[in-house]
Amino acid sequence: MQSGTQPLKSERKHNLNWATHNVATLITDRGTQEKINYGGKQIMIKKYSKFLGVLLTLALLLAVLPAGKAQAVTLEVGPGKAYTTIQGAIDAANSGDTIEVAAGTYNEALSIQKAITIQGAGKELSIIDGTNLTGASLVSFNNVPGEAIFDGFTLQNPPIIYTSGNVREYGYNLGIAGAMDGAKITVTNNHLIASDPMNFGVSLSNTTADVVINHNEFLNHTQNAILIERALNDVEVGYNLFLIPEDQGPAIWSMSYGTEANPHNVTGLHWYH
């Protein structure tokens, strides 16, 4: 209260420090109005019932909450879980969600186009098997709008692409391809097994995503365990174990190429350790 100001005259004391007051200072147990003197001025104080006060508080909270953002959730895959297939959970997931995959063998190929985390029970426990499947990759990432993580799986028996003459061409345990500006894809703590001489491990092809390939094990890849082809932005490859037959192809192959009319300039940092 400022010096020289008349004291408040009212049945109740009111907080008139307007610089710091909030809705709670206006909530009382009576639904009436009251005039008080403050500095010689008549001020009307509205008093709200407790119920109305609760409603007003909730309305203010809803007004300041961010709109359009769903809370991240965890989707569970496995026997007795909400989803029996990993792809079913991927299709149902929203950006920021986590998919937890129980131990077991899943005979399916995965297409991932969301900023999500796919977490296995462990690289020896959650197994994705491509037996009798078709396509280029057992697991593929494209058009991811943010950060995606793939962690804790065995990838085995990837499919093989055939030419029109029924000649085996190639197949990938995991592929990352296409323009994905602003995306980051992390592949970590996985066991990738080649079951055919034409199998590659991880393939990066014409991608603009940042990619991290760390702490994985590669087994029997007579082609390249990691093939990096025209990857524009940052790529980190580190702490991986390569168990490759002697005198076979290089574990890591990195290349970029273009033409004078259509050059391909790598602007990110590539480091292998």
Side-chain angles (χ1 to χ4, degrees):
M1 185 177 296
Q2 297 179 354
S3 175
T5 302
Q6 295 295 323
L8 299 178
K9 296 180 180 180
S10 171
E11 295 178 357
R12 294 176 179 269
K13 294 181 180 180
H14 299 274
N15 175 11
L16 295 179
N17 183 0
W18 303 115
T20 60
H21 85 279
N22 53 41
V23 173
T25 62
L26 300 179
I27 298 174
T28 72
D29 58 354
R30 295 169 57 192
T32 61
Q33 298 181 350
E34 182 178 355
K35 288 183 179 180
I36 62 172
N37 288 317
Y38 183 66
K41 298 181 180 180
Q42 295 288 324
I43 299 177
M44 182 73 74
I45 299 295
K46 291 186 178 181
K47 303 176 188 178
Y48 301 94
S49 68
K50 289 182 179 178
F51 176 73
L52 182 56
V54 171
L55 291 180
L56 288 171
T57 303
L58 289 174
L60 285 174
L61 288 173
L62 291 173
V64 300
L65 286 175
K69 291 186 177 179
Q71 185 176 3
V73 299
T74 297
L75 293 76
E76 296 183 332
V77 179
K81 305 296 184 181
Y83 298 91
T84 57
T85 67
I86 304 171
Q87 189 63 53
I90 293 170
D91 294 342
N94 295 311
S95 289
D97 288 351
T98 295
I99 296 173
E100 292 185 351
V101 181
T105 299
Y106 301 84
N107 183 220
E108 56 179 315
L110 306 182
S111 176
I112 303 162
Q113 302 183 40
K114 298 178 179 180
I116 56 178
T117 295
I118 304 176
Q119 180 67 58
K123 61 186 175 184
E124 305 296 340
L125 300 174
S126 297
I127 301 168
I128 301 176
D129 187 283
T131 300
N132 296 325
L133 299 180
T134 60
S137 297
L138 189 52
V139 176
S140 62
F141 287 87
N142 54 76
N143 298 320
V144 175
E147 183 172 7
I149 300 172
F150 189 81
D151 184 344
F153 291 89
T154 285
L155 303 182
Q156 65 185 29
N157 298 316
I160 293 290
I161 289 290
Y162 286 81
T163 66
S164 57
N166 203 33
V167 176
R168 297 195 334 277
E169 283 283 310
Y170 55 86
Y172 306 119
N173 291 96
L174 187 146
I176 301 169
M180 290 184 274
D181 294 345
K184 180 180 180 181
I185 298 172
T186 299
V187 179
T188 187
N189 299 317
N190 301 289
H191 189 189
L192 298 89
I193 304 172
S195 55
D196 187 282
M198 299 308 296
N199 286 152
F200 293 77
V202 174
S203 168
L204 278 61
S205 178
N206 294 294
T207 184
T208 58
D210 292 341
V211 179
V212 177
I213 306 169
N214 282 349
H215 301 286
N216 302 284
E217 296 177 2
F218 295 84
L219 178 64
N220 290 338
H221 291 90
T222 57
Q223 301 294 327
N224 307 124
I226 299 176
L227 173 62
I228 301 170
E229 182 177 6
R230 292 167 58 93
L232 183 66
N233 289 326
D234 291 354
V235 176
E236 178 184 358
V237 177
Y239 313 106
N240 299 287
L241 177 64
F242 302 94
L243 301 174
I244 297 172
E246 189 176 357
D247 298 327
Q248 297 300 321
I252 302 172
W253 184 274
S254 181
M255 58 183 168
S256 183
Y257 49 86
T259 65
E260 186 175 351
N262 185 27
H264 185 267
N265 297 318
V266 176
T267 58
L269 298 175
H270 290 199
W271 65 99
Y272 312 132
H273 56 92

